[in-house]
Amino acid sequence: ASVAQQAASLGWAVLLGVAVGLLYDVLRILRVRLKLRLLGAALDFLFWLPVTAAFFLFALIMGGGEVRITLLAGHFAGAVLYFRLLSPPVLRLGYALADLGGLFWRIATAPVRALGWCCKKIKKFLKNSFLYRRKWFKIRLLPEEMKDERQTRAARYRGDSNHADKTSRASD
């Protein structure tokens, strides 16, 4: 390989390092803004799968199937350049876009959230209403029970033998 080809390979290695840094930052923005339980593992997989494939294909195509130290140094140098120079503005822009997307998402889902809130309030109202209605039902039964009790006492007082067939037993 000529010196020009080696220089071109080194330049492409630096660009691949920059691309890996950019992918890392994009996935970092997603990880920070989306608070989902298994998202970290999924994003790690989504990072390492294309990075590994890119490094493998780069070594196969540009390095002639050999892993060359100069190409690894180029990848590393590209990543360092990206994180020193480009990462801060990319992160600011990415976080701003993610916040804007979150705002649009909250606006788009506001009717669904409001409906859920209303359903929750209606459910609580109905639950409390039915509990209270059961108490009403029990309160309505009390006057009838009291009426029956008065009739029973009056019958006993008069000496009616309605309860003559009932015997008292001692409890153990």
Side-chain angles (χ1 to χ4, degrees), residues 77-92:
V80 167
L81 281 173
Y82 171 79
F83 284 116
R84 292 286 183 190
L85 301 176
L86 298 175
S87 183
V90 166
L91 283 177
R92 276 193 302 275

Side-chain angles (χ1 to χ4, degrees), residues 45-68:
F45 182 74
L46 286 176
F47 174 76
W48 283 112
L49 185 70
V51 166
T52 305
F55 284 161
F56 175 75
L57 290 174
F58 190 84
L60 193 64
I61 294 168
M62 295 301 234
E66 297 176 357
V67 177
R68 299 177 190 256

Side-chain angles (χ1 to χ4, degrees), residues 110-121:
V112 175
R113 287 184 283 122
L115 182 64
W117 180 81
C118 287
C119 288
K120 187 189 228 184
K121 292 294 182 181

Side-chain angles (χ1 to χ4, degrees), residues 117-133:
W117 180 81
C118 287
C119 288
K120 187 189 228 184
K121 292 294 182 181
I122 290 171
K123 179 182 173 185
K124 184 177 179 179
F125 171 76
L126 290 176
K127 180 181 175 185
N128 289 338
S129 176
F130 283 121
L131 284 176
Y132 191 61
R133 286 179 193 259

Side-chain angles (χ1 to χ4, degrees), residues 27-44 46 105:
L27 295 177
R28 178 171 30 170
I29 292 166
L30 288 175
R31 183 187 298 241
V32 169
R33 290 299 190 242
L34 299 176
K35 306 277 195 240
L36 299 175
R37 190 168 192 209
L38 297 175
L39 185 66
L43 291 178
D44 286 346
L46 286 176
W105 177 256

